[in-house]
Amino acid sequence: FFLILSKIKTMTTEFKNIVWKEGPHYVALCLNVEVSSFGDTKEEALQNLKEAIELYMEDTPIDNMSIIEDPEIIYSHIEHA
């Protein structure tokens, strides 16, 4: 019998993420795809987000990813009761 090994072509894609502290945890959100995660530290939240994105991308074509250019935080003030 013959065993044929083929190389799997891989690529690297940059994702833009934001992270913030919410209560006792850190929340990490990917701006390119609708995926988020959390952790006890900023690093843990980002590592968990990376794993969640990898799982998401297993079933989603890269073409569905939003291209995010120059994100910035804009503050707004809303009057409320």
Side-chain angles (χ1 to χ4, degrees), residues 16-76:
K16 289 190 170 79
N17 309 307
I18 57 173
V19 62
W20 66 91
K21 188 158 175 76
E22 190 171 308
H25 301 289
Y26 286 87
V27 178
L29 172 68
C30 179
L31 299 176
N32 304 94
V33 293
E34 295 182 18
V35 177
S36 64
S37 193
F38 72 97
D40 292 330
T41 64
K42 190 183 300 186
E43 294 76 19
E44 182 182 20
L46 289 167
Q47 180 59 39
N48 290 343
L49 178 62
K50 181 180 182 223
E51 292 173 11
I53 293 169
E54 288 170 348
L55 289 171
Y56 176 85
M57 296 308 292
E58 285 180 4
D59 296 326
T60 305
I62 196 75
D63 298 343
N64 288 359
M65 186 178 91
S66 298
I67 304 301
I68 305 297
E69 297 179 21
D70 301 322
E72 62 180 291
I73 295 176
I74 304 295
Y75 296 92
S76 60

